[in-house]
Amino acid sequence: MTRILYPSLVLALLVLVTGCAASPARLPVLDPGEARGTVHPVYITTSRQPADDPAAHFGTRRSLALNFARADVWVPHNRLPGEIDYPGRRPDPSTEFALTGWQDYDSRPDFARDLNHDLSEMRFAERDVFVFVHGFNTPFSDGLYLNAQIINDFGLQTAFVHYAWPSAGQFPAYLYDRDSAQFARDGLVETLTLLADSEAIRINLIAHSMGSLVTMEALRELSLTGRQDVLEKIDPVILASPDIDIDVFLSQLSAIEPRPEHLLVFVSARDRALLLSDRLRGGDHRRLGIGAQRDLLTELGATVVDLTEIRDGGFSGHTAFASSPTLMRMANTGVLATALMGVEAMPQDSGIGTLSDLAARIIYLPARALGER
């Protein structure tokens, strides 16, 4: 049975993952003119080397030195929530993502100067930095556009930093990405240290898929090297569809002190990418993002958001945390934050009550939070 099943699983995983990520998206810089949309400034730290094609900015090769940049990402209004329309050879700013500006930084101080300037323009209580760490099989451009889509569709109002680690952006290079995830730990440590020294009062950290491995390794490294001052500024930590073995995660978590006050884990039993990955490894080596360890996570103090019931997050379910209009409505109406705080469901009016009921079914609060209520 195993000899028959294994090749079919490999083929299925190839089709699933490569079907949603072909060649890297273009990064044209354009003037949107009369097109309706929003520009989101995104600061970039990356452990990728510059690309051979200057228009691509950063490629797939690893860089020992951290590189810095800023992109002004154009998100058109004429599209469905959660969708990313990549620019064609003749970009159409009325419907497609693009850039309206790009800035390379020669040094860390220059990068920090501009970031601090933007932070100083915000009210003190709002000086958060939102850091996004992309997942496996992600070209630089695709990760940047995904970051901007999350910012736009979830209505985030902070400063934004995109940490781009050197994914090969191809499914056959899975092992390269696994090694790159380990390699990229130090770059994320440097990024978080830089941000802790900035004008930001708090660092919000969200990681997707294999980016969760990069993130947990970086937090572990900060703890082991005595950088509790940096860890104390990081909250919340959100792991979305984490592609981490449960035993590896438990080992990483046990070494992190202090732990983030709020650790959120988005899981789904419908995540086809992680389910196939799980079966290829054998049933005893579960991926954290499938949600089989939900009760254990809440006992350890994590909040689990189980997206199994969410049906509008794409075929694979692997990016539902970013692409589900239902989850966006929960976030933009305050239902998600209310449920995460453990507040009772809202009255049944204007559809909010329905969203509250759904939130109550999919959100599992940590054991300590339940004891405080």
Side-chain angles (χ1 to χ4, degrees):
M1 174 65 80
T2 302
R3 293 181 179 178
I4 298 174
L5 184 60
Y6 183 83
S8 65
L9 282 172
V10 172
L11 178 60
L13 191 54
L14 279 166
V15 171
L16 173 63
V17 183
T18 58
C20 60
S23 57
R26 295 180 176 85
L27 288 168
V29 178
L30 51 76
D31 180 352
E34 299 299 318
R36 296 177 63 249
T38 304
V39 176
H40 296 285
V42 180
Y43 286 90
I44 298 160
T45 66
T46 180
S47 46
R48 298 173 184 245
Q49 291 186 27
D52 294 333
D53 177 5
H57 297 292
F58 294 104
T60 62
R61 295 190 300 274
R62 301 164 184 152
S63 172
L64 289 173
L66 202 62
N67 293 300
F68 303 93
R70 168 180 156 154
D72 296 323
V73 186
W74 170 258
V75 179
H77 289 173
N78 184 21
R79 64 183 185 88
L80 296 175
E83 288 192 354
I84 302 175
D85 295 318
Y86 297 124
R89 294 187 180 278
R90 296 182 178 179
D92 180 358
S94 66
T95 59
E96 296 174 343
F97 282 56
L99 304 183
T100 62
W102 179 273
Q103 171 71 51
D104 284 308
Y105 292 100
D106 294 329
S107 69
R108 171 175 169 162
D110 290 343
F111 174 90
R113 179 199 63 229
D114 282 4
L115 175 62
N116 281 327
H117 175 268
D118 284 0
L119 286 166
S120 69
E121 297 291 307
M122 303 175 184
R123 292 191 302 173
F124 181 78
E126 298 175 348
R127 291 181 187 174
D128 286 13
V129 173
F130 176 95
V131 181
F132 179 64
V133 185
H134 64 75
F136 158 66
N137 190 21
T138 304
F140 171 74
S141 55
D142 298 46
L144 181 60
Y145 285 141
L146 176 60
N147 194 345
Q149 177 260 308
I150 294 170
I151 293 167
N152 188 87
D153 293 347
F154 285 87
L156 303 178
Q157 301 291 330
T158 64
F160 307 105
V161 173
H162 179 70
Y163 180 63
W165 55 277
S167 165
Q170 302 177 46
F171 175 76
Y174 182 84
L175 295 180
Y176 178 87
D177 275 20
R178 291 286 296 183
D179 289 343
S180 286
Q182 298 289 339
F183 170 86
R185 174 196 64 201
D186 291 347
L188 184 55
V189 167
E190 183 177 346
T191 297
L192 295 173
T193 302
L194 182 160
L195 297 178
D197 292 336
S198 75
E199 296 294 326
I201 62 172
R202 188 168 40 246
I203 303 167
N204 312 149
L205 181 56
I206 179 170
H208 177 227
S209 187
M210 197 180 287
S212 298
L213 178 62
V214 181
T215 296
M216 290 299 294
E217 282 293 303
L219 297 179
R220 179 178 182 272
E221 181 69 12
L222 285 167
S223 183
L224 294 177
T225 54
R227 293 309 307 264
Q228 282 73 23
D229 58 319
V230 179
L231 290 169
E232 287 170 356
K233 273 200 166 185
I234 302 172
D235 188 64
V237 173
I238 302 174
L239 307 180
S241 305
D243 185 8
I244 308 178
D245 178 276
I246 180 60
D247 294 331
V248 172
F249 172 78
L250 293 175
S251 175
Q252 293 166 326
L253 188 64
S254 67
I256 298 171
E257 183 61 41
R259 296 183 187 178
E261 183 178 356
H262 300 97
L263 173 62
L264 280 69
V265 185
F266 284 74
V267 304
S268 174
R270 294 179 57 251
D271 188 326
R272 289 175 169 84
L274 292 184
L275 283 169
L276 288 168
S277 176
D278 199 47
R279 292 186 67 181
L280 286 173
R281 286 175 166 83
D284 293 333
H285 303 281
R286 309 310 305 273
R287 312 315 287 166
L288 188 66
I290 291 172
Q293 302 84 13
R294 188 177 66 199
D295 292 342
L296 175 59
L297 287 172
T298 57
E299 288 173 9
L300 291 170
T303 295
V304 177
V305 183
D306 191 336
L307 301 180
T308 304
E309 282 194 53
I310 302 294
R311 301 285 174 169
D312 57 0
F315 171 75
S316 75
H318 195 50
T319 57
F321 80 100
S323 59
S324 166
T326 298
L327 201 59
M328 292 169 201
R329 288 194 296 273
M330 286 185 184
N332 294 327
T333 58
V335 166
L336 188 60
T338 299
L340 290 172
M341 290 187 295
V343 178
E344 295 297 331
M346 296 180 179
Q348 298 284 337
D349 60 347
S350 303
I352 300 299
T354 302
L355 289 176
S356 294
D357 289 343
L358 177 58
R361 293 200 304 271
I362 70 174
I363 294 175
Y364 297 81
L365 297 173
R368 65 167 184 266
L370 291 173
E372 293 168 357
R373 289 178 58 185

